[in-house]
Amino acid sequence: MSGKWQHPWRVLVVPYYLNRYARQVHVLRVASAFLAGLMLVLASRIPHGGWALVTILIVLGGAPHWGGVRRKAMERMGGSLLGALAGLAAIVLHGASPWLCYAWMLAVVALSGWHAQGRGGYLALLTGITLVIVGGVGDEPINEALWRSCNVLIGSLIGMAAAATLPLRALDSWRFLLADNLREAAMLYNRIARRLPVDGDAALDQFNARLIRLRGLLASVTQESALTHRELDQVQRCQRSIWTLLDRMGEVSASTPALAEDASPRRAIVRTLLRASHALRFNQPQLLAESLPAADNPARMREPTHCHWLVAELSLTVEDLRMQLHAILPRLIEAPPPARSLVRAMRDGGRRR
């Protein structure tokens, strides 16, 4: 029996298993959070408790990774607080003059629509939505408005707690997908260089599919770690270059001399790619310390072929990627667990206020 089934609890704590069974874990997390919210609403009989359940689904439903959940929950709570205050102000103004209340609501909705198109658009949109939920058309009782706001905050906290308990981190998904791509590149290049049978189109299609998924994770990875979007985009560009070089190499390898001879950098490139893949999968940055030997200049060769130029470019690209990962991986390892980062975010937010 495999170790995984001897210790089934590992599926819920080991990042590799969490990502391998991400959909099942996400379903379990949403269902657990909804059940906890439902039990709380039924046990305490909180007025308008349905808004807490709606908020749990909004916070957790469409954002499987911790970075997205945390960002959405923070924006949900911020937008709810601003919208609740605006709604309470609308109720107070309605007592003085209904037209003054409507002018206030129109101004808040206009500002919400303006900022919804820029950064923090979700927060701005929720501010306008919560204004209407809490204040109605200005004639809602204040106690009901306060209960609705309270339920939104409770639902956001339950959603974040569930996400922190079963953390699906984008940075883990990112490094596992990248590790698979580097291993795929090593195997494909090794077979092309040795003129072994290879289904290059299928392998490159898988490589490109992972590359697209990696692109979609960048925003959440920056939320979960200290890395910048520019640093991650440099890794993306290196992968794209490797894909292009392997694609071109596969087209011309049949008409050029084999590149498996001892003088070629094939073994060094394959070894570097495999070591980088292993380093990412098992968080071992020391495997990235060894530099790739300098690429030979094909211009100095007696009879350089097109493949020799491609291999030289591949060697330079792989070395560039190795150096980037050597700088990035230790910072990924240092990224705090979700529970700790949640406490830190709330503490920092309190200090800013």
Side-chain angles (χ1 to χ4, degrees), residues 217-230:
L217 293 172
L218 297 189
S220 293
V221 173
T222 57
Q223 291 284 330
E224 297 174 1
S225 65
L227 300 179
T228 64
H229 193 280
R230 182 178 180 181

Side-chain angles (χ1 to χ4, degrees), residues 4-18:
K4 179 183 68 174
W5 300 118
Q6 290 176 352
H7 305 285
W9 52 267
R10 294 182 64 194
V11 176
L12 301 179
V13 296
V14 177
Y16 174 76
Y17 292 127
L18 282 172

Side-chain angles (χ1 to χ4, degrees), residues 140-266:
E140 295 288 336
I142 290 183
N143 63 326
E144 290 191 9
L146 291 173
W147 274 118
R148 290 176 184 178
S149 303
C150 179
N151 277 304
V152 169
L153 297 178
I154 291 173
S156 296
L157 291 174
I158 292 175
M160 283 198 294
T165 303
L166 294 173
L168 291 171
R169 298 199 299 177
L171 64 88
D172 290 326
S173 297
W174 183 84
R175 64 186 178 90
F176 290 140
L177 285 171
L178 178 55
D180 289 342
N181 258 3
L182 297 185
R183 182 174 180 82
E184 187 88 55
M187 297 295 100
L188 182 58
Y189 168 58
N190 188 52
R191 296 187 70 85
I192 289 174
R194 299 172 63 191
R195 288 185 174 178
L196 297 175
V198 58
D199 189 355
D201 291 339
L204 289 172
D205 286 345
Q206 292 179 359
F207 189 104
N208 191 51
R210 294 191 195 100
L211 195 58
I212 294 173
R213 292 173 62 189
L214 286 165
R215 167 64 62 184
L217 293 172
L218 297 189
S220 293
V221 173
T222 57
Q223 291 284 330
E224 297 174 1
S225 65
L227 300 179
T228 64
H229 193 280
R230 182 178 180 181
E231 291 174 309
L232 297 174
D233 199 50
Q234 288 176 344
V235 175
Q236 289 288 108
R237 285 198 295 269
C238 284
Q239 289 186 86
R240 210 175 298 117
S241 296
I242 291 174
W243 183 92
T244 302
L245 291 167
L246 290 176
D247 185 35
R248 185 62 183 144
M249 197 180 298
E251 294 177 355
V252 302
S253 61
S255 59
T256 60
L259 298 174
E261 62 271 10
D262 293 337
S264 78
R266 176 185 60 86

Side-chain angles (χ1 to χ4, degrees), residues 15-31:
Y16 174 76
Y17 292 127
L18 282 172
N19 282 273
R20 183 175 180 181
Y21 302 102
R23 178 169 292 184
Q24 292 87 336
V25 171
H26 181 57
V27 170
L28 175 62
R29 186 171 61 182
V30 173

Side-chain angles (χ1 to χ4, degrees), residues 273-289:
L273 287 171
L274 291 178
R275 284 171 67 87
S277 175
H278 195 85
L280 287 164
R281 184 175 294 279
F282 299 104
N283 282 334
Q284 295 182 353
Q286 68 276 10
L287 296 178
L288 296 166

